[in-house]
């Protein structure tokens, strides 16, 4: 006959083992899902119909440490948010191609751009954009500068830009460039002008 | 006899009280700031360079190879820079002298609490070779607050930004003069914005992509003699700022 207190202890241990097992299983599934999302290189938004037009990209050249303007074609919907997203997606696609003057990982993309109060653009990048971004002060800053300056060149009504990742705030892009501030477009434009 | 000794004792006590009061008065007069200010020289600002080896602990910074992380390179170079500054009789302090993790706020708090005269953050990164010198990126309209009692944390650098840019510019010029590739620019890089003293960040880019991919160790990536000569050069530029900083320019 097993003593009562031993029975209780064994039951509690059994419950704990089953509980931990279930928790581990859920955790593993969650991690798998997050990894799948991070490595998902499919397009995050449907292709936009509408007229295409010429846009100007501020392209970063890491090796030379400068910015140069480049013309490109992009779909230009009338909605400011959609238009901004298409402009930035065109920019990011320049960087994900090989060879690139400022290489970004394939799968990097812009989830969405929300234009608030007419002058604030909230740029939501996907997880792969930030998680696989090369780490370094210069390379991270150049990505931010390039995105903000490209918006400034094509959407002059945008005066401030906030960058988020997968709908959430993030402290740095890849360990260096500070993503916490709302960037002043005029200040970034001045910084880029000094690097042209 | 007894009747005679009592007034003498009282007199003695009174004398001691007078002496004690006089001594206290003299001490108070000597130590009173308004009085001392007339006699003493104006207090000289202490010149202290605070060096911040970026990253550390669980935050490795850039990973150059399986065995080489940015945090190790920044610490090695920061130690060299401290030694070079101390060799020039300049007080220098590291924010971390081991593999520990500090938040950016902790770094700014430590620098401000130590009343740093100049703050230097050390980074290492790709691509190219040389030294990139960064200063804080503050919105154009941010200016130094008139009321110095309370300074906004996110723009504490505003009052020192002009000096930060001057130091960065002198450093870039000096590096060029000595044949080292160098550039200067503004960057949104923590904790520069929250440091209430002239503050610069250096990104040592003395590592070629080819060497990094070859899996060389941190020590090999930035060779000791290159580190030493760079540290010496940077220390000499910082030392040249001493008169201007001490005079409170």
């Amino acid at each position: 006959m097993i003593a009562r207190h031993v029975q209780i202890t064994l039951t509690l241990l059994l419950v704990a083992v089953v509980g931990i097992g279930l928790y581990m299983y859920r955790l593993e599934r969650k991690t798998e899902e997050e990894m799948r999302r991070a490595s998902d290189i499919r397009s995050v938004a449907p292709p936009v119909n509408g007229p295409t037009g010429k846009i100007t990209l501020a392209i970063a050249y890491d090796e030379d440490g400068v910015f140069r303007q480049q013309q490109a074609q992009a779909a230009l919907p009338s909605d400011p948010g959609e238009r901004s997203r298409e402009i930035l997606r065109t920019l990011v696609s320049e960087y994900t191609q090989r060879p690139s003057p400022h290489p970004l990982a394939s799968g990097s993309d812009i989830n969405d751009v929300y234009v608030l109060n007419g002058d604030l653009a909230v740029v939501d990048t996907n997880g792969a954009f930030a998680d696989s971004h090369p780490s370094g002060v210069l390379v991270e800053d150049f990505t931010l500068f390039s995105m903000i300056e490209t918006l400034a060149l094509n959407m002059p009504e945008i005066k401030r830009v906030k960058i988020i990742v997968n709908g959430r705030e993030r402290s740095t892009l890849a360990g260096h460039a500070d993503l916490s501030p709302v960037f002043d477009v005029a200040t970034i434009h001045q910084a880029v002008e000094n690097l042209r | 006899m007894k009747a005679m000794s009592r007034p003498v004792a009282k007199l003695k006590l009174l004398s001691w009280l007078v002496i004690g009061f006089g001594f206290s008065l003299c001490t108070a007069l000597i130590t009173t700031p308004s009085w001392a200010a007339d006699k003493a020289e104006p207090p000289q600002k202490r010149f202290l360079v605070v060096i911040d080896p970026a990253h550390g602990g669980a935050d490795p910074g850039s990973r150059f190879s399986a065995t080489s992380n940015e945090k190790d390179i920044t610490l090695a170079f920061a130690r060299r820079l401290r030694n070079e500054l101390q060799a020039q009789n300049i007080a220098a302090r590291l924010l971390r002298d081991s593999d520990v993790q500090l938040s950016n706020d902790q770094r700014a708090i430590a620098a401000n609490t130590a009343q740093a005269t100049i703050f230097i953050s050390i980074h290492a990164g790709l691509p190219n070779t040389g030294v990139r010198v960064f200063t804080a990126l503050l919105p154009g309209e941010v200016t130094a607050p008139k009321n110095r009692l309370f300074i906004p944390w996110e723009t504490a650098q505003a009052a020192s930004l002009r000096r930060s840019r001057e130091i960065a510019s002198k450093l870039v010029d000096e590096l060029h003069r000595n044949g080292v590739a160098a550039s200067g620019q503004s960057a949104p890089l923590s904790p520069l914005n929250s440091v209430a003293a002239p503050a610069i960040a250096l990104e040592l880019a003395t590592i070629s992509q080819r060497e990094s991919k070859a899996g060389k160790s941190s020590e090999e990536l930035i060779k000791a003699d290159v580190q030493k000569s760079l540290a010496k050069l940077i220390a000499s530029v910082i030392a040249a700022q001493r008169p201007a900083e001490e005079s409170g320019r």
Side-chain angles (χ1 to χ4, degrees), chain B residues 6-228:
Chain B
R6 195 174 281 173
V8 171
K10 277 185 179 173
L11 202 65
K12 267 188 178 173
L13 182 69
L14 194 66
S15 306
W16 278 116
L17 280 173
V18 169
I19 291 167
F21 178 73
F23 182 75
S24 306
L25 190 68
C26 288
T27 312
L29 281 172
I30 289 165
T31 54
T32 301
S34 59
W35 185 86
D38 295 339
K39 300 282 172 197
E41 288 288 312
Q44 206 172 39
K45 220 175 140 188
R46 189 181 56 135
F47 192 82
L48 172 68
V49 180
V50 170
I51 307 165
D52 168 29
H55 311 288
D59 169 19
S62 302
R63 291 174 192 271
F64 301 115
S65 70
T67 55
S68 171
N69 293 319
E70 186 183 1
K71 66 175 182 178
D72 304 318
I73 296 172
T74 60
L75 182 57
F77 187 78
R79 284 175 177 155
R80 280 188 191 276
L81 182 57
R82 177 187 57 188
N83 294 347
E84 289 297 335
L85 286 165
Q86 286 173 345
Q88 300 202 33
N89 211 22
I90 290 173
R93 189 183 295 177
L94 296 190
L95 285 189
R96 70 173 176 95
D97 203 358
S98 60
D99 188 19
V100 291
Q101 190 168 7
L102 294 170
S103 72
N104 284 324
D105 278 351
Q106 283 175 316
R107 290 169 201 263
I109 289 167
N112 293 340
T113 308
Q115 297 191 316
T117 318
I118 295 178
F119 175 85
I120 306 173
S121 185
I122 309 289
H123 289 266
L126 301 168
N128 287 338
T129 57
V131 179
R132 295 186 276 266
V133 186
F134 298 93
T135 51
L137 181 83
L138 293 173
E141 67 269 19
V142 173
T143 50
K146 283 175 188 163
N147 176 3
R148 291 302 305 270
L149 194 57
F150 297 105
I151 305 170
W153 182 249
E154 295 79 10
T155 56
Q157 173 62 195
S160 309
L161 192 55
R162 185 182 59 83
R163 281 292 295 139
S164 302
R165 285 178 180 157
E166 282 174 9
I167 294 168
S169 167
K170 282 175 185 163
L171 185 54
V172 169
D173 290 347
E174 193 58 30
L175 288 164
H176 278 157
R177 252 196 297 278
N178 284 274
V180 180
S183 62
Q185 68 179 78
S186 305
L189 181 66
S190 284
L192 294 185
N193 284 13
S194 303
V195 176
I200 57 171
L202 309 177
E203 186 172 46
L204 308 171
T206 53
I207 309 149
S208 75
Q209 204 124 18
R210 186 174 48 80
E211 279 179 320
S212 140
K213 280 184 181 159
K216 289 199 172 182
S217 71
S218 314
E219 280 299 313
E220 284 178 289
L221 288 174
I222 303 181
K223 291 177 183 65
D225 55 331
V226 176
Q227 277 197 33
K228 194 166 165 54

Side-chain angles (χ1 to χ4, degrees), chain A residues 33-41 106-107 126-129 131-132:
Chain A
E33 178 65 15
E34 277 176 2
M35 284 176 71
R36 190 189 61 74
R37 276 189 196 165
S39 59
D40 192 353
I41 58 166
S106 63
N126 69 351
F129 181 92
D131 295 339
S132 344

Side-chain angles (χ1 to χ4, degrees), chain A residues 36-58:
Chain A
R36 190 189 61 74
R37 276 189 196 165
S39 59
D40 192 353
I41 58 166
R42 287 174 301 170
S43 176
V44 291
V48 175
N49 293 320
T52 58
K54 205 178 267 185
I55 60 167
T56 308
L57 306 176

